[in-house]
Amino acid sequence: MLGLFRRHDHLSPAWLQAGVSRLKGGGRAGKGAPLLDLPDSLLCHIYGRAPARVCAHLAVCKRFASCLLRAESVELRVASANGADVTAASLQRFSAGVSLTAKCCHGVLTPVLAALEEGWSALTSLDLSDNSMGDEGASALSRALLRNTNLTALSLGENALSPCGAASVAAALPSFPRLAKLSLAGNRILAPGATGLAKAISASSLPLTSLSFSG
């Protein structure tokens, strides 16, 4: 499907808007009609995987904008090469049920933090593994995530965290009563970090089914 979008990447927003108008009038939108005939769920999925320039064109499609608002759950996967293309505004398009995976995406932490600090609370799953955020980044992220009370999975593996970073995560855990999966694998949280996390998990009675501190 991404191939379909790339073949039409030269099309302007004005062309797409004209296509929407023709479809509403019962006419044919030309050879680009498949862009507007995709299922809502697939459009949402593609939005998370397509190049930023393609997404910019899609933003003028009224049906696409509507499906973003209606979606109950959306899985967004950011390719490692596209981390710098993510913006807070693009994340905030989604109001609920967001599963965001952005592994090894240089620059992605900044827009994610910006969206969260502006009150975005749509996350149900977050994987920011291998983003070199360090203790400072983990502390900022833990504070910013507090409004996301529906979070069920959090992965911060391979982020150069020490016991201090683990302590920041531990302090935030009571805010996630539905958390079922937690991974800090590949960090050097050592015994003090692991002990602090274990105490926070026990005190919060989290429904964890998967837990990893290895590394």
Side-chain angles (χ1 to χ4, degrees):
M1 284 302 174
L2 285 183
L4 170 66
F5 277 79
R6 291 193 178 104
R7 287 199 300 275
H8 292 275
D9 192 31
H10 64 286
L11 299 173
S12 68
W15 184 94
L16 270 177
Q17 189 58 64
V20 174
S21 298
R22 285 198 293 273
L23 281 180
K24 285 187 174 181
R28 295 177 63 84
K31 68 176 182 178
L35 285 171
L36 303 176
D37 290 338
L38 295 174
D40 289 352
S41 58
L42 184 55
L43 280 171
C44 286
H45 179 68
I46 289 175
Y47 177 86
R49 300 183 66 88
R53 61 185 182 278
V54 178
C55 295
H57 295 341
L58 287 174
V60 301
C61 173
K62 293 181 179 179
R63 175 171 173 266
F64 179 69
S66 175
C67 85
L68 292 181
L69 295 175
R70 294 199 311 271
E72 294 181 0
S73 62
V74 180
E75 182 178 351
L76 302 180
R77 292 181 179 273
V78 182
S80 58
N82 295 336
D85 294 331
V86 177
T87 65
S90 69
L91 296 172
Q92 291 168 326
R93 287 177 182 270
F94 303 94
S95 59
V98 175
S99 173
L100 174 61
T101 299
K103 298 180 180 179
C104 194
C105 293
H106 179 71
V108 78
L109 181 60
T110 298
V112 170
L113 283 176
L116 292 170
E117 289 168 354
E118 290 173 9
W120 188 50
S121 57
L123 285 170
T124 57
S125 176
L126 179 63
D127 187 346
L128 292 180
S129 300
D130 198 10
N131 277 292
S132 304
M133 66 176 62
D135 290 338
E136 184 177 347
S139 177
L141 180 64
S142 297
R143 293 193 303 270
L145 276 172
L146 295 180
R147 296 185 183 90
N148 288 262
T149 56
N150 289 322
L151 197 68
T152 62
L154 178 62
S155 296
L156 300 178
E158 303 288 347
N159 271 302
L161 304 188
S162 74
C164 292
S168 297
V169 175
L173 291 181
S175 297
F176 314 131
R178 301 183 182 184
L179 194 69
K181 297 181 179 181
L182 175 64
S183 175
L184 273 73
N187 293 294
R188 293 184 60 80
I189 65 172
L190 306 178
T195 299
L197 284 163
K199 289 181 178 179
I201 291 168
S202 178
S204 303
S205 300
L206 299 178
L208 285 174
T209 58
S210 176
L211 177 64
S212 178
F213 297 159
S214 62

